[in-house]
Amino acid sequence: MSFVATKKLTLFDYVNYTLLILISAISLFPFIYVLSVSFTDPKVYVPLKFYLFPEQWSLSAYKYILSTNSFLNAFKNTIFVTAIGTVLSIVFSFTFAYALTKKSMPGQKIMLGAVIFTLVFNAGILPNYLLIKELDLLNSLWALIWSGLTNAWSLIMIKSFLESLPSELEEAARIDGSSDIGVFWRIVVPLSMPAVAAFTLFFAVMYWNTYFNALIYVSESSKWTLQVLVKSLVIDSDSNGVGEAGAGGDEAFLPQETIRMASIVMAMVPILIVYPFLQKHFAKGVMIGSVKG
C-alpha cells in the first residue's frame, strides 16, 4: 500500500489562487461580451448595454459578413499569408540556423555577428519600406511574407536547440556517405520536430496577426488582411468596409456593433482552434535554449 504525500496549502496559497481566479475571470469578460453581442438578435440589441449572455440568439451577423466579398477576400488573403509565410519561415530559419552551428563554414562568425547585431540595432520603418519598394513588392501579399521571414531571436533559439543535438549522429551519417543536405534532412530535421512544431505556432500566430506591415505595405482594400479589415470596422467605424457586396433584405440594416463583434470573433477563432493541438509543443518551445541541469 502506497501513500502519496500531499502539500498542505497555506494562507498565501489560498490568497494566491483566489486572486489568480479573479484576474482570469475579469480577463474573460471582454471575450464574453464580444461573443454575446455577436450572437445577439439585432432586433433586441440595445447599444451601450453589457451583454453577459444574448437575450435572443441569432446568426444574422455571421451570415451577413460571410456573404460579403470584403470579409471573404480578407480571410483568403490572411490564410494565404499565414500558410505560405509559415512554411517559408520554418524552412529559411532552420536551414540558416543549422548553417550558423557549423564553425567550419566560411564567414560563420560574421553572419552570426550580423544576426546578433540586429538584436541591438534596428534599421527602422523607413529603410524597410524603401527596401520593399525597391523590390517592387508594394501592394503585394508577398511583402507581408518577405518582410517577416525570420528574426534574430528565432535564429538564436533554433541555433541553440540544434547545438544540443548529439553530434555523434551526424558524424555517423557522414561516415555512411551522407552529404550535408542529407544529414540535415535525414538526421537533424526528424530530431528537431518539437522545435519545428513550436516555431510553426510562433510564425503562424505572427503572420495571422499581421497588422502593421499590412497597413504600411498594402493600400488596396482588395489585398487587406483580416486584422486591417477589423481595424477599419472597429476603430474607423466603417461598416461599409464589410458590406461592399452586402446581402439584401433586413441583413443590410444590422447594427454596426454586431457586425464588428462578429468580425472580431471570426478573426480570433481559427488561430484559437490551432492552439490546443500545439500547446504542448508551445511549452517545449519556450524551454528551447534553456540551461540544462
Side-chain angles (χ1 to χ4, degrees):
M1 185 175 181
S2 60
F3 296 91
V4 178
T6 57
K7 178 184 176 182
K8 185 177 180 181
L9 296 179
T10 63
L11 177 61
F12 173 79
D13 293 327
Y14 284 112
V15 174
N16 193 24
Y17 293 151
T18 302
L19 288 176
L20 288 176
I21 293 173
L22 288 175
I23 293 173
S24 301
I26 293 173
S27 300
L28 286 175
F29 277 130
F31 296 98
I32 295 174
Y33 174 76
V34 169
L35 283 171
S36 299
V37 174
S38 67
F39 284 106
T40 297
D41 192 328
K43 297 178 181 179
V44 300
Y45 172 74
V46 179
L48 303 179
K49 179 181 178 180
F50 181 81
Y51 287 86
L52 189 58
F53 296 102
E55 295 180 359
Q56 293 185 21
W57 293 79
S58 175
L59 295 175
S60 300
Y62 292 95
K63 291 179 180 178
Y64 175 69
I65 62 174
L66 290 176
S67 67
T68 61
N69 289 334
S70 307
F71 188 88
L72 295 178
N73 198 44
F75 196 81
K76 179 187 68 176
N77 293 339
T78 303
I79 291 179
F80 173 82
V81 171
T82 302
I84 303 299
T86 301
V87 172
L88 291 178
S89 292
I90 288 294
V91 173
F92 183 83
S93 298
F94 274 83
T95 51
F96 190 9
Y98 180 68
L100 292 177
T101 63
K102 304 304 174 185
K103 296 181 180 179
S104 59
M105 185 185 68
Q108 183 263 354
K109 291 185 178 179
I110 297 176
M111 287 189 290
L112 181 59
V115 171
I116 297 175
F117 181 83
T118 60
L119 283 174
V120 184
F121 301 98
N122 192 290
I125 299 174
L126 187 57
N128 289 329
Y129 181 85
L130 294 176
L131 175 62
I132 295 298
K133 183 179 179 180
E134 290 299 321
L135 293 175
D136 197 23
L137 292 176
L138 289 180
N139 282 323
S140 170
L141 294 178
W142 287 102
L144 310 182
I145 296 175
W146 295 120
S147 61
L149 198 57
T150 190
N151 54 74
W153 179 85
S154 298
L155 289 174
I156 293 174
M157 291 297 102
I158 295 172
K159 174 180 176 294
S160 177
F161 176 84
L162 295 179
E163 287 177 337
S164 68
L165 299 178
S167 59
E168 292 80 4
L169 294 177
E170 293 188 31
E171 295 174 0
R174 286 194 173 88
I175 293 175
D176 291 337
S178 293
S179 62
D180 289 335
I181 297 178
V183 170
F184 178 75
W185 288 109
R186 296 176 184 176
I187 304 298
V188 176
V189 171
L191 293 176
S192 304
M193 291 313 296
V196 171
F199 279 93
T200 296
L201 178 61
F202 294 155
F203 286 124
V205 171
M206 179 190 72
Y207 282 113
W208 184 269
N209 292 327
T210 296
Y211 167 71
F212 186 73
N213 286 345
L215 195 64
I216 62 176
Y217 296 143
V218 178
S219 58
E220 297 179 11
S221 59
S222 60
K223 297 179 181 178
W224 280 358
T225 60
L226 271 179
Q227 309 306 327
V228 178
L229 181 64
V230 170
K231 172 260 180 186
S232 177
L233 291 171
V234 176
I235 299 179
D236 297 341
S237 301
D238 180 16
S239 62
N240 293 328
V242 145
E244 290 176 358
D250 295 336
E251 291 182 348
F253 301 98
L254 290 173
Q256 290 186 3
E257 195 69 12
T258 59
I259 297 176
R260 294 171 186 166
M261 298 308 173
S263 301
I264 292 174
V265 172
M266 291 297 295
M268 291 191 304
V269 166
I271 204 67
L272 289 177
I273 294 176
V274 175
Y275 253 101
F277 297 99
L278 297 176
Q279 184 177 9
K280 60 179 181 180
H281 300 297
F282 181 86
K284 290 181 181 179
V286 173
M287 299 300 296
I288 289 176
S290 61
V291 178
K292 295 183 179 180

